[in-house]
Amino acid sequence: FVSAVKEKALGEEVMASLTPAQQVIKIVNEELIDLMGGTNSKLTYSPRGFTIYMMVGLQGTGKTTTCGKLAHYLKKNGKKPMLCACDIYRPAAIDQLEVVGKSVDTPVFTMRDSKKPEKIAKAAIKEADRLGCNVLIVDTAGRLQIDEELMQELETLKAEIKPHEILLVVDALTGQDAVNAAEG
């Protein structure tokens, strides 16, 4: 990476509108984009009108916050999202999702007494339909990939609600372990 940047910087003519420092930043930016894959993946929506996104990831990676950011993004793009609290393990997880939902003016479906995420999600689908929402974002419990019980819970939830997309949320500091988490 460094040698590619150095080679381009040494052989590059400084554009009239850029300073040499800005030119180096431009080259580094282009190389980073190239290194990271360069292509954007867009969210896809269900052709039948109602889309379900299931958010998964390890503990503490920011799934709940990402749910709010995703809801905000979807609202800006003309969608009507609803958030669904299926993290039944972490203390105050439901409260956090409610705060996040309120901050982006998005309804949040909860069933505080239920310990079955698939039951919560199925009820949320009915409520979202009743409220005229067209996207359901399901916030699941963070897990360790080695925890078979929690992994089975994800499999059950996936089979019950048939999400249009499953979005893996990973911390940027995870590095190569993100590949292991995705495979898990």
PDB file of all heavy atoms in Angstrom, residues 79-116:
ATOM      1  N   LYS A  79     -38.603   5.610   2.897  1.00  0.00           N
ATOM      2  CA  LYS A  79     -39.154   4.400   3.504  1.00  0.00           C
ATOM      3  C   LYS A  79     -39.777   4.741   4.854  1.00  0.00           C
ATOM      4  O   LYS A  79     -39.512   5.795   5.429  1.00  0.00           O
ATOM      5  CB  LYS A  79     -38.067   3.339   3.695  1.00  0.00           C
ATOM      6  CG  LYS A  79     -37.423   2.887   2.403  1.00  0.00           C
ATOM      7  CD  LYS A  79     -38.389   2.080   1.571  1.00  0.00           C
ATOM      8  CE  LYS A  79     -37.745   1.595   0.283  1.00  0.00           C
ATOM      9  NZ  LYS A  79     -38.688   0.958  -0.599  1.00  0.00           N
ATOM     10  N   LYS A  80     -40.594   3.832   5.347  1.00  0.00           N
ATOM     11  CA  LYS A  80     -41.208   4.008   6.668  1.00  0.00           C
ATOM     12  C   LYS A  80     -40.795   2.820   7.536  1.00  0.00           C
ATOM     13  O   LYS A  80     -41.470   1.789   7.547  1.00  0.00           O
ATOM     14  CB  LYS A  80     -42.726   4.120   6.551  1.00  0.00           C
ATOM     15  CG  LYS A  80     -43.366   4.531   7.875  1.00  0.00           C
ATOM     16  CD  LYS A  80     -44.836   4.829   7.746  1.00  0.00           C
ATOM     17  CE  LYS A  80     -45.363   5.228   9.117  1.00  0.00           C
ATOM     18  NZ  LYS A  80     -46.795   5.216   9.187  1.00  0.00           N
ATOM     19  N   PRO A  81     -39.670   2.952   8.262  1.00  0.00           N
ATOM     20  CA  PRO A  81     -39.168   1.823   9.045  1.00  0.00           C
ATOM     21  C   PRO A  81     -39.789   1.715  10.437  1.00  0.00           C
ATOM     22  O   PRO A  81     -40.370   2.668  10.959  1.00  0.00           O
ATOM     23  CB  PRO A  81     -37.678   2.135   9.168  1.00  0.00           C
ATOM     24  CG  PRO A  81     -37.621   3.627   9.165  1.00  0.00           C
ATOM     25  CD  PRO A  81     -38.751   4.070   8.252  1.00  0.00           C
ATOM     26  N   MET A  82     -39.660   0.525  10.994  1.00  0.00           N
ATOM     27  CA  MET A  82     -39.990   0.268  12.392  1.00  0.00           C
ATOM     28  C   MET A  82     -38.842  -0.563  12.956  1.00  0.00           C
ATOM     29  O   MET A  82     -38.276  -1.405  12.256  1.00  0.00           O
ATOM     30  CB  MET A  82     -41.297  -0.518  12.526  1.00  0.00           C
ATOM     31  CG  MET A  82     -41.569  -0.965  13.965  1.00  0.00           C
ATOM     32  SD  MET A  82     -42.999  -2.057  14.097  1.00  0.00           S
ATOM     33  CE  MET A  82     -44.208  -0.842  14.543  1.00  0.00           C
ATOM     34  N   LEU A  83     -38.486  -0.309  14.206  1.00  0.00           N
ATOM     35  CA  LEU A  83     -37.451  -1.074  14.882  1.00  0.00           C
ATOM     36  C   LEU A  83     -38.104  -2.138  15.758  1.00  0.00           C
ATOM     37  O   LEU A  83     -39.180  -1.916  16.307  1.00  0.00           O
ATOM     38  CB  LEU A  83     -36.578  -0.153  15.750  1.00  0.00           C
ATOM     39  CG  LEU A  83     -35.857   0.981  15.014  1.00  0.00           C
ATOM     40  CD1 LEU A  83     -35.194   1.929  15.999  1.00  0.00           C
ATOM     41  CD2 LEU A  83     -34.840   0.426  14.041  1.00  0.00           C
ATOM     42  N   CYS A  84     -37.439  -3.272  15.878  1.00  0.00           N
ATOM     43  CA  CYS A  84     -37.966  -4.377  16.681  1.00  0.00           C
ATOM     44  C   CYS A  84     -36.901  -4.836  17.670  1.00  0.00           C
ATOM     45  O   CYS A  84     -35.787  -5.187  17.273  1.00  0.00           O
ATOM     46  CB  CYS A  84     -38.368  -5.527  15.772  1.00  0.00           C
ATOM     47  SG  CYS A  84     -38.854  -7.016  16.663  1.00  0.00           S
ATOM     48  N   ALA A  85     -37.237  -4.830  18.961  1.00  0.00           N
ATOM     49  CA  ALA A  85     -36.293  -5.179  20.024  1.00  0.00           C
ATOM     50  C   ALA A  85     -36.319  -6.683  20.302  1.00  0.00           C
ATOM     51  O   ALA A  85     -37.200  -7.178  20.986  1.00  0.00           O
ATOM     52  CB  ALA A  85     -36.633  -4.389  21.291  1.00  0.00           C
ATOM     53  N   CYS A  86     -35.327  -7.395  19.757  1.00  0.00           N
ATOM     54  CA  CYS A  86     -35.229  -8.849  19.991  1.00  0.00           C
ATOM     55  C   CYS A  86     -33.994  -9.222  20.806  1.00  0.00           C
ATOM     56  O   CYS A  86     -33.611 -10.382  20.842  1.00  0.00           O
ATOM     57  CB  CYS A  86     -35.220  -9.599  18.662  1.00  0.00           C
ATOM     58  SG  CYS A  86     -36.852  -9.729  17.918  1.00  0.00           S
ATOM     59  N   ASP A  87     -33.354  -8.238  21.440  1.00  0.00           N
ATOM     60  CA  ASP A  87     -32.243  -8.537  22.355  1.00  0.00           C
ATOM     61  C   ASP A  87     -32.868  -8.743  23.727  1.00  0.00           C
ATOM     62  O   ASP A  87     -33.182  -7.789  24.439  1.00  0.00           O
ATOM     63  CB  ASP A  87     -31.232  -7.399  22.382  1.00  0.00           C
ATOM     64  CG  ASP A  87     -30.017  -7.711  23.255  1.00  0.00           C
ATOM     65  OD1 ASP A  87     -30.083  -8.673  24.057  1.00  0.00           O
ATOM     66  OD2 ASP A  87     -29.010  -6.988  23.154  1.00  0.00           O
ATOM     67  N   ILE A  88     -33.056 -10.008  24.090  1.00  0.00           N
ATOM     68  CA  ILE A  88     -33.747 -10.333  25.342  1.00  0.00           C
ATOM     69  C   ILE A  88     -32.779 -10.606  26.481  1.00  0.00           C
ATOM     70  O   ILE A  88     -33.198 -10.948  27.579  1.00  0.00           O
ATOM     71  CB  ILE A  88     -34.674 -11.549  25.147  1.00  0.00           C
ATOM     72  CG1 ILE A  88     -33.874 -12.744  24.628  1.00  0.00           C
ATOM     73  CG2 ILE A  88     -35.819 -11.207  24.212  1.00  0.00           C
ATOM     74  CD1 ILE A  88     -34.641 -14.044  24.592  1.00  0.00           C
ATOM     75  N   TYR A  89     -31.483 -10.439  26.222  1.00  0.00           N
ATOM     76  CA  TYR A  89     -30.477 -10.790  27.228  1.00  0.00           C
ATOM     77  C   TYR A  89     -29.818  -9.587  27.897  1.00  0.00           C
ATOM     78  O   TYR A  89     -29.655  -9.568  29.105  1.00  0.00           O
ATOM     79  CB  TYR A  89     -29.381 -11.670  26.605  1.00  0.00           C
ATOM     80  CG  TYR A  89     -29.941 -12.925  25.998  1.00  0.00           C
ATOM     81  CD1 TYR A  89     -30.054 -13.053  24.621  1.00  0.00           C
ATOM     82  CD2 TYR A  89     -30.389 -13.974  26.792  1.00  0.00           C
ATOM     83  CE1 TYR A  89     -30.583 -14.196  24.051  1.00  0.00           C
ATOM     84  CE2 TYR A  89     -30.927 -15.119  26.240  1.00  0.00           C
ATOM     85  CZ  TYR A  89     -31.020 -15.225  24.866  1.00  0.00           C
ATOM     86  OH  TYR A  89     -31.553 -16.351  24.310  1.00  0.00           O
ATOM     87  N   ARG A  90     -29.420  -8.606  27.113  1.00  0.00           N
ATOM     88  CA  ARG A  90     -28.654  -7.488  27.666  1.00  0.00           C
ATOM     89  C   ARG A  90     -29.574  -6.564  28.457  1.00  0.00           C
ATOM     90  O   ARG A  90     -30.596  -6.108  27.949  1.00  0.00           O
ATOM     91  CB  ARG A  90     -27.971  -6.715  26.528  1.00  0.00           C
ATOM     92  CG  ARG A  90     -27.053  -5.615  26.999  1.00  0.00           C
ATOM     93  CD  ARG A  90     -26.221  -5.076  25.854  1.00  0.00           C
ATOM     94  NE  ARG A  90     -26.998  -4.639  24.717  1.00  0.00           N
ATOM     95  CZ  ARG A  90     -27.445  -3.405  24.533  1.00  0.00           C
ATOM     96  NH1 ARG A  90     -27.196  -2.466  25.430  1.00  0.00           N
ATOM     97  NH2 ARG A  90     -28.123  -3.100  23.452  1.00  0.00           N
ATOM     98  N   PRO A  91     -29.174  -6.290  29.702  1.00  0.00           N
ATOM     99  CA  PRO A  91     -29.976  -5.349  30.507  1.00  0.00           C
ATOM    100  C   PRO A  91     -30.080  -4.002  29.800  1.00  0.00           C
ATOM    101  O   PRO A  91     -29.099  -3.513  29.246  1.00  0.00           O
ATOM    102  CB  PRO A  91     -29.178  -5.219  31.811  1.00  0.00           C
ATOM    103  CG  PRO A  91     -28.298  -6.420  31.854  1.00  0.00           C
ATOM    104  CD  PRO A  91     -28.021  -6.792  30.429  1.00  0.00           C
ATOM    105  N   ALA A  92     -31.250  -3.453  29.768  1.00  0.00           N
ATOM    106  CA  ALA A  92     -31.532  -2.141  29.184  1.00  0.00           C
ATOM    107  C   ALA A  92     -31.396  -2.091  27.662  1.00  0.00           C
ATOM    108  O   ALA A  92     -31.414  -1.019  27.081  1.00  0.00           O
ATOM    109  CB  ALA A  92     -30.673  -1.055  29.825  1.00  0.00           C
ATOM    110  N   ALA A  93     -31.278  -3.230  26.991  1.00  0.00           N
ATOM    111  CA  ALA A  93     -31.185  -3.239  25.527  1.00  0.00           C
ATOM    112  C   ALA A  93     -32.452  -2.671  24.897  1.00  0.00           C
ATOM    113  O   ALA A  93     -32.393  -1.893  23.941  1.00  0.00           O
ATOM    114  CB  ALA A  93     -30.935  -4.652  25.016  1.00  0.00           C
ATOM    115  N   ILE A  94     -33.601  -3.050  25.463  1.00  0.00           N
ATOM    116  CA  ILE A  94     -34.873  -2.556  24.936  1.00  0.00           C
ATOM    117  C   ILE A  94     -34.974  -1.053  25.155  1.00  0.00           C
ATOM    118  O   ILE A  94     -35.373  -0.305  24.249  1.00  0.00           O
ATOM    119  CB  ILE A  94     -36.062  -3.305  25.582  1.00  0.00           C
ATOM    120  CG1 ILE A  94     -36.012  -4.786  25.194  1.00  0.00           C
ATOM    121  CG2 ILE A  94     -37.394  -2.676  25.189  1.00  0.00           C
ATOM    122  CD1 ILE A  94     -37.004  -5.668  25.933  1.00  0.00           C
ATOM    123  N   ASP A  95     -34.570  -0.607  26.352  1.00  0.00           N
ATOM    124  CA  ASP A  95     -34.594   0.830  26.641  1.00  0.00           C
ATOM    125  C   ASP A  95     -33.700   1.593  25.671  1.00  0.00           C
ATOM    126  O   ASP A  95     -34.064   2.665  25.184  1.00  0.00           O
ATOM    127  CB  ASP A  95     -34.129   1.104  28.079  1.00  0.00           C
ATOM    128  CG  ASP A  95     -35.052   0.472  29.111  1.00  0.00           C
ATOM    129  OD1 ASP A  95     -36.255   0.315  28.825  1.00  0.00           O
ATOM    130  OD2 ASP A  95     -34.557   0.123  30.202  1.00  0.00           O
ATOM    131  N   GLN A  96     -32.517   1.040  25.384  1.00  0.00           N
ATOM    132  CA  GLN A  96     -31.587   1.707  24.471  1.00  0.00           C
ATOM    133  C   GLN A  96     -32.206   1.824  23.080  1.00  0.00           C
ATOM    134  O   GLN A  96     -32.119   2.873  22.447  1.00  0.00           O
ATOM    135  CB  GLN A  96     -30.260   0.956  24.386  1.00  0.00           C
ATOM    136  CG  GLN A  96     -29.260   1.657  23.477  1.00  0.00           C
ATOM    137  CD  GLN A  96     -28.005   0.844  23.206  1.00  0.00           C
ATOM    138  OE1 GLN A  96     -27.843  -0.269  23.683  1.00  0.00           O
ATOM    139  NE2 GLN A  96     -27.120   1.416  22.420  1.00  0.00           N
ATOM    140  N   LEU A  97     -32.838   0.752  22.602  1.00  0.00           N
ATOM    141  CA  LEU A  97     -33.448   0.807  21.277  1.00  0.00           C
ATOM    142  C   LEU A  97     -34.588   1.828  21.253  1.00  0.00           C
ATOM    143  O   LEU A  97     -34.767   2.537  20.259  1.00  0.00           O
ATOM    144  CB  LEU A  97     -33.948  -0.575  20.842  1.00  0.00           C
ATOM    145  CG  LEU A  97     -34.378  -0.664  19.371  1.00  0.00           C
ATOM    146  CD1 LEU A  97     -33.197  -0.417  18.427  1.00  0.00           C
ATOM    147  CD2 LEU A  97     -35.003  -2.022  19.073  1.00  0.00           C
ATOM    148  N   GLU A  98     -35.341   1.929  22.340  1.00  0.00           N
ATOM    149  CA  GLU A  98     -36.407   2.932  22.406  1.00  0.00           C
ATOM    150  C   GLU A  98     -35.846   4.348  22.339  1.00  0.00           C
ATOM    151  O   GLU A  98     -36.398   5.209  21.649  1.00  0.00           O
ATOM    152  CB  GLU A  98     -37.240   2.739  23.677  1.00  0.00           C
ATOM    153  CG  GLU A  98     -38.150   1.530  23.602  1.00  0.00           C
ATOM    154  CD  GLU A  98     -38.930   1.275  24.873  1.00  0.00           C
ATOM    155  OE1 GLU A  98     -38.421   1.570  25.983  1.00  0.00           O
ATOM    156  OE2 GLU A  98     -40.056   0.766  24.772  1.00  0.00           O
ATOM    157  N   VAL A  99     -34.739   4.582  23.025  1.00  0.00           N
ATOM    158  CA  VAL A  99     -34.093   5.904  22.975  1.00  0.00           C
ATOM    159  C   VAL A  99     -33.596   6.190  21.558  1.00  0.00           C
ATOM    160  O   VAL A  99     -33.801   7.286  21.019  1.00  0.00           O
ATOM    161  CB  VAL A  99     -32.932   5.993  24.001  1.00  0.00           C
ATOM    162  CG1 VAL A  99     -32.079   7.225  23.776  1.00  0.00           C
ATOM    163  CG2 VAL A  99     -33.476   5.977  25.422  1.00  0.00           C
ATOM    164  N   VAL A 100     -32.969   5.195  20.947  1.00  0.00           N
ATOM    165  CA  VAL A 100     -32.469   5.340  19.577  1.00  0.00           C
ATOM    166  C   VAL A 100     -33.637   5.606  18.626  1.00  0.00           C
ATOM    167  O   VAL A 100     -33.573   6.501  17.777  1.00  0.00           O
ATOM    168  CB  VAL A 100     -31.668   4.083  19.152  1.00  0.00           C
ATOM    169  CG1 VAL A 100     -31.446   4.041  17.656  1.00  0.00           C
ATOM    170  CG2 VAL A 100     -30.342   4.024  19.883  1.00  0.00           C
ATOM    171  N   GLY A 101     -34.719   4.850  18.768  1.00  0.00           N
ATOM    172  CA  GLY A 101     -35.890   5.035  17.915  1.00  0.00           C
ATOM    173  C   GLY A 101     -36.497   6.415  18.060  1.00  0.00           C
ATOM    174  O   GLY A 101     -36.859   7.057  17.067  1.00  0.00           O
ATOM    175  N   LYS A 102     -36.577   6.879  19.292  1.00  0.00           N
ATOM    176  CA  LYS A 102     -37.127   8.216  19.535  1.00  0.00           C
ATOM    177  C   LYS A 102     -36.257   9.295  18.892  1.00  0.00           C
ATOM    178  O   LYS A 102     -36.764  10.254  18.329  1.00  0.00           O
ATOM    179  CB  LYS A 102     -37.242   8.452  21.045  1.00  0.00           C
ATOM    180  CG  LYS A 102     -38.000   9.694  21.415  1.00  0.00           C
ATOM    181  CD  LYS A 102     -38.199   9.798  22.922  1.00  0.00           C
ATOM    182  CE  LYS A 102     -39.059  10.997  23.250  1.00  0.00           C
ATOM    183  NZ  LYS A 102     -39.303  11.118  24.684  1.00  0.00           N
ATOM    184  N   SER A 103     -34.934   9.103  18.953  1.00  0.00           N
ATOM    185  CA  SER A 103     -34.021  10.112  18.399  1.00  0.00           C
ATOM    186  C   SER A 103     -34.132  10.227  16.883  1.00  0.00           C
ATOM    187  O   SER A 103     -33.807  11.261  16.319  1.00  0.00           O
ATOM    188  CB  SER A 103     -32.573   9.826  18.813  1.00  0.00           C
ATOM    189  OG  SER A 103     -32.072   8.704  18.107  1.00  0.00           O
ATOM    190  N   VAL A 104     -34.582   9.166  16.220  1.00  0.00           N
ATOM    191  CA  VAL A 104     -34.748   9.215  14.764  1.00  0.00           C
ATOM    192  C   VAL A 104     -36.229   9.168  14.374  1.00  0.00           C
ATOM    193  O   VAL A 104     -36.562   8.914  13.216  1.00  0.00           O
ATOM    194  CB  VAL A 104     -33.949   8.095  14.044  1.00  0.00           C
ATOM    195  CG1 VAL A 104     -32.468   8.315  14.198  1.00  0.00           C
ATOM    196  CG2 VAL A 104     -34.350   6.713  14.511  1.00  0.00           C
ATOM    197  N   ASP A 105     -37.107   9.406  15.356  1.00  0.00           N
ATOM    198  CA  ASP A 105     -38.554   9.477  15.139  1.00  0.00           C
ATOM    199  C   ASP A 105     -39.078   8.235  14.416  1.00  0.00           C
ATOM    200  O   ASP A 105     -39.742   8.317  13.390  1.00  0.00           O
ATOM    201  CB  ASP A 105     -38.899  10.760  14.365  1.00  0.00           C
ATOM    202  CG  ASP A 105     -40.396  11.060  14.420  1.00  0.00           C
ATOM    203  OD1 ASP A 105     -41.044  10.679  15.415  1.00  0.00           O
ATOM    204  OD2 ASP A 105     -40.918  11.650  13.455  1.00  0.00           O
ATOM    205  N   THR A 106     -38.726   7.066  14.973  1.00  0.00           N
ATOM    206  CA  THR A 106     -39.103   5.781  14.384  1.00  0.00           C
ATOM    207  C   THR A 106     -39.758   4.917  15.460  1.00  0.00           C
ATOM    208  O   THR A 106     -39.223   4.804  16.560  1.00  0.00           O
ATOM    209  CB  THR A 106     -37.850   5.068  13.822  1.00  0.00           C
ATOM    210  OG1 THR A 106     -37.257   5.903  12.831  1.00  0.00           O
ATOM    211  CG2 THR A 106     -38.190   3.734  13.202  1.00  0.00           C
ATOM    212  N   PRO A 107     -40.901   4.302  15.152  1.00  0.00           N
ATOM    213  CA  PRO A 107     -41.549   3.458  16.155  1.00  0.00           C
ATOM    214  C   PRO A 107     -40.698   2.230  16.497  1.00  0.00           C
ATOM    215  O   PRO A 107     -39.969   1.706  15.649  1.00  0.00           O
ATOM    216  CB  PRO A 107     -42.864   3.038  15.501  1.00  0.00           C
ATOM    217  CG  PRO A 107     -42.675   3.256  14.037  1.00  0.00           C
ATOM    218  CD  PRO A 107     -41.647   4.336  13.893  1.00  0.00           C
ATOM    219  N   VAL A 108     -40.808   1.804  17.754  1.00  0.00           N
ATOM    220  CA  VAL A 108     -40.067   0.635  18.236  1.00  0.00           C
ATOM    221  C   VAL A 108     -41.065  -0.363  18.796  1.00  0.00           C
ATOM    222  O   VAL A 108     -41.874  -0.025  19.659  1.00  0.00           O
ATOM    223  CB  VAL A 108     -39.046   1.039  19.335  1.00  0.00           C
ATOM    224  CG1 VAL A 108     -38.317  -0.191  19.873  1.00  0.00           C
ATOM    225  CG2 VAL A 108     -38.047   2.059  18.810  1.00  0.00           C
ATOM    226  N   PHE A 109     -40.992  -1.601  18.304  1.00  0.00           N
ATOM    227  CA  PHE A 109     -41.869  -2.654  18.809  1.00  0.00           C
ATOM    228  C   PHE A 109     -41.139  -3.431  19.889  1.00  0.00           C
ATOM    229  O   PHE A 109     -40.009  -3.876  19.694  1.00  0.00           O
ATOM    230  CB  PHE A 109     -42.295  -3.607  17.688  1.00  0.00           C
ATOM    231  CG  PHE A 109     -43.252  -4.652  18.164  1.00  0.00           C
ATOM    232  CD1 PHE A 109     -44.605  -4.388  18.253  1.00  0.00           C
ATOM    233  CD2 PHE A 109     -42.792  -5.904  18.569  1.00  0.00           C
ATOM    234  CE1 PHE A 109     -45.492  -5.342  18.712  1.00  0.00           C
ATOM    235  CE2 PHE A 109     -43.672  -6.867  19.039  1.00  0.00           C
ATOM    236  CZ  PHE A 109     -45.023  -6.581  19.113  1.00  0.00           C
ATOM    237  N   THR A 110     -41.801  -3.597  21.044  1.00  0.00           N
ATOM    238  CA  THR A 110     -41.219  -4.363  22.152  1.00  0.00           C
ATOM    239  C   THR A 110     -42.264  -5.307  22.729  1.00  0.00           C
ATOM    240  O   THR A 110     -43.473  -5.053  22.636  1.00  0.00           O
ATOM    241  CB  THR A 110     -40.727  -3.444  23.287  1.00  0.00           C
ATOM    242  OG1 THR A 110     -41.851  -2.781  23.864  1.00  0.00           O
ATOM    243  CG2 THR A 110     -39.732  -2.404  22.786  1.00  0.00           C
ATOM    244  N   MET A 111     -41.768  -6.393  23.296  1.00  0.00           N
ATOM    245  CA  MET A 111     -42.593  -7.311  24.092  1.00  0.00           C
ATOM    246  C   MET A 111     -41.719  -7.699  25.280  1.00  0.00           C
ATOM    247  O   MET A 111     -41.060  -8.735  25.270  1.00  0.00           O
ATOM    248  CB  MET A 111     -42.983  -8.564  23.284  1.00  0.00           C
ATOM    249  CG  MET A 111     -44.077  -8.330  22.278  1.00  0.00           C
ATOM    250  SD  MET A 111     -44.470  -9.790  21.252  1.00  0.00           S
ATOM    251  CE  MET A 111     -44.997 -10.987  22.443  1.00  0.00           C
ATOM    252  N   ARG A 112     -41.709  -6.844  26.280  1.00  0.00           N
ATOM    253  CA  ARG A 112     -40.789  -7.005  27.416  1.00  0.00           C
ATOM    254  C   ARG A 112     -40.961  -8.336  28.156  1.00  0.00           C
ATOM    255  O   ARG A 112     -40.017  -8.829  28.747  1.00  0.00           O
ATOM    256  CB  ARG A 112     -40.948  -5.842  28.377  1.00  0.00           C
ATOM    257  CG  ARG A 112     -40.426  -4.539  27.809  1.00  0.00           C
ATOM    258  CD  ARG A 112     -40.603  -3.395  28.791  1.00  0.00           C
ATOM    259  NE  ARG A 112     -40.204  -2.134  28.193  1.00  0.00           N
ATOM    260  CZ  ARG A 112     -38.966  -1.676  28.183  1.00  0.00           C
ATOM    261  NH1 ARG A 112     -37.997  -2.355  28.726  1.00  0.00           N
ATOM    262  NH2 ARG A 112     -38.698  -0.513  27.620  1.00  0.00           N
ATOM    263  N   ASP A 113     -42.133  -8.904  28.124  1.00  0.00           N
ATOM    264  CA  ASP A 113     -42.366 -10.141  28.873  1.00  0.00           C
ATOM    265  C   ASP A 113     -41.965 -11.402  28.107  1.00  0.00           C
ATOM    266  O   ASP A 113     -41.885 -12.477  28.694  1.00  0.00           O
ATOM    267  CB  ASP A 113     -43.848 -10.238  29.269  1.00  0.00           C
ATOM    268  CG  ASP A 113     -44.257  -9.117  30.201  1.00  0.00           C
ATOM    269  OD1 ASP A 113     -43.380  -8.605  30.930  1.00  0.00           O
ATOM    270  OD2 ASP A 113     -45.445  -8.741  30.194  1.00  0.00           O
ATOM    271  N   SER A 114     -41.725 -11.278  26.814  1.00  0.00           N
ATOM    272  CA  SER A 114     -41.409 -12.458  26.007  1.00  0.00           C
ATOM    273  C   SER A 114     -39.913 -12.764  26.022  1.00  0.00           C
ATOM    274  O   SER A 114     -39.079 -11.863  26.004  1.00  0.00           O
ATOM    275  CB  SER A 114     -41.855 -12.245  24.564  1.00  0.00           C
ATOM    276  OG  SER A 114     -41.526 -13.388  23.802  1.00  0.00           O
ATOM    277  N   LYS A 115     -39.593 -14.043  26.030  1.00  0.00           N
ATOM    278  CA  LYS A 115     -38.197 -14.504  25.966  1.00  0.00           C
ATOM    279  C   LYS A 115     -37.957 -15.269  24.667  1.00  0.00           C
ATOM    280  O   LYS A 115     -37.017 -16.038  24.549  1.00  0.00           O
ATOM    281  CB  LYS A 115     -37.855 -15.386  27.176  1.00  0.00           C
ATOM    282  CG  LYS A 115     -37.917 -14.641  28.501  1.00  0.00           C
ATOM    283  CD  LYS A 115     -36.868 -13.556  28.555  1.00  0.00           C
ATOM    284  CE  LYS A 115     -36.952 -12.744  29.822  1.00  0.00           C
ATOM    285  NZ  LYS A 115     -36.369 -11.426  29.706  1.00  0.00           N
ATOM    286  N   LYS A 116     -38.834 -15.078  23.698  1.00  0.00           N
ATOM    287  CA  LYS A 116     -38.729 -15.766  22.413  1.00  0.00           C
ATOM    288  C   LYS A 116     -38.610 -14.727  21.291  1.00  0.00           C
ATOM    289  O   LYS A 116     -39.620 -14.150  20.861  1.00  0.00           O
ATOM    290  CB  LYS A 116     -39.965 -16.629  22.173  1.00  0.00           C
ATOM    291  CG  LYS A 116     -40.148 -17.716  23.205  1.00  0.00           C
ATOM    292  CD  LYS A 116     -39.962 -19.051  22.538  1.00  0.00           C
ATOM    293  CE  LYS A 116     -40.200 -20.177  23.502  1.00  0.00           C
ATOM    294  NZ  LYS A 116     -39.007 -20.909  23.783  1.00  0.00           N
TER     295      LYS A 116
END
